[in-house]
Structures are given as structure tokens and as C-alpha cells.
Amino acid sequence: MTVNPVMQNIRLLVPGVVTAVTDLEQLTQAMARNLKRLRTERGFTLDALAARAGVSRGMLIQIEQARTNPSVGTVVKVADALGASITTLLDYDQEPQVRLVAPEQAVRLWSTDAGSHSTLLVGAESPGPLELWEWRLMPGDTSDSDPHPTGTTELVHVRGGTLVLTVDGAEHLVPAGTSAAFESHVPHGYRNDGPGPVDMIMAVSVPAP
């Protein structure tokens, strides 16, 4: 399984279309601006945020200066440490009270050569980060996740196929039409052992810092 870096492989949800260099530059600049703003608002020094997120101080400096394209794992860790959604980190503009996200604005954050992918559809702060995702897992593919902050809850609804949901080492079969809820402050993952794709919708609620 191949997991691609965030900024180098973001694809807008338009079949066959890859984001232009200007889009990648815009995302990099947006993340730099939003990271610095959120870190300042929360009163975190670079050293303090690095310790909370488990990433290096140098990496944070590079992100804030828009000099690097961080991996998916790094983006998730930084967002969790800030108590912010990934959407907030990547937002180009300030969020209005009602924000519509068109299909071409949804961000694909993870993909494999087999065709599996996860797409961040929309996110909000209420009062902690709340994210809505669309996932497809192709046969044989797996996506594992590190523990999220204590109090994080995930809701999964499987629309097609049978998902193998692993939470803290225990496996649970989630067939099409079935939903699952679990606390994701422990290691967890998603796997497809079936002959066809698994399609699912996921909501992630992270507590406010």
C-alpha cells in the first residue's frame, strides 16, 4: 500500500484532473498562515506545539514558512495538537456562518495505487473540530491510524462492502447498511478483506483543547 504526501498528491474530485501547481502553492500558503494564527491564538510556542504534536520544531518552522509539503500523518498530528480540524488548517479564507463546499473543493488526503482513497468533504469547529469524510477501500487495502486525543469519537456508516474495523487490537465486521461508533484515542484502522470495494462515510469529532 502506498500512502502519498498531502500537498504533493492532493487531487480535486474531478475525474482525471489533478490540482495545478498554483492550487498546491495556495494550500501550502494557507496552511502556513493558519498554523501560525492558530498557534498564536492558543499561546503555544514552537517548542510547546512540537512536543504536543510529536513532530520536530524544524518541521513546524518549515510549515509556517511555506517551505515544505507535510505528510498526511504530520498534518493530522498538528491539527490534533491544536485542537483544530484539517479543514481549518487548509482553509483559504475565513469561514462564513454558512459555508458551502462544492465537490471540486473537497480535498483527497489519502490514496493508494489500487484506488483506495479518503476525502475530507467538510469540517467545522463546534466547539471542537468536526469533520465529515468519504472513504473507499479497495480489496486488500488497509489504512491504520495512530491514537487521536482522548475524547475523540468516530462514526462510520458503510454503504457498500464489508469493513473490517480494528479498534485497540480487536476486529469488528461492519457490513453494508451498518453503522459503528467508537472512541478513537487508541490505535485503530480500516481494512477490506472482501472481493469488492468498501464505501463508507465517516464523521470525526475531536474535543476542544
Side-chain angles (χ1 to χ4, degrees), residues 71-149:
S71 68
V72 173
T74 296
V75 174
V76 171
K77 288 178 180 179
V78 172
D80 285 346
L82 289 168
S85 66
I86 297 174
T87 304
T88 299
L89 280 180
L90 298 179
D91 251 357
Y92 298 163
D93 305 302
Q94 293 291 327
E95 298 180 20
Q97 289 185 336
V98 176
R99 183 166 57 95
L100 302 182
V101 181
E104 64 271 15
Q105 294 176 315
V107 180
R108 185 168 294 181
L109 290 175
W110 172 80
S111 63
T112 71
D113 295 337
S116 298
H117 56 81
S118 66
T119 302
L120 179 60
L121 300 175
V122 68
E125 311 290 334
S126 58
L130 179 63
E131 299 169 350
L132 182 65
W133 293 78
E134 180 181 61
W135 280 72
R136 166 163 283 197
L137 282 173
M138 299 304 289
D141 265 351
T142 299
S143 177
D144 293 320
S145 178
D146 293 328
H148 297 316

Side-chain angles (χ1 to χ4, degrees), residues 53-73:
V55 301
S56 70
R57 182 177 185 274
M59 172 59 72
L60 293 179
I61 291 174
Q62 291 186 56
I63 295 174
E64 286 196 359
Q65 294 180 352
R67 293 192 291 111
T68 187
N69 299 330
S71 68
V72 173

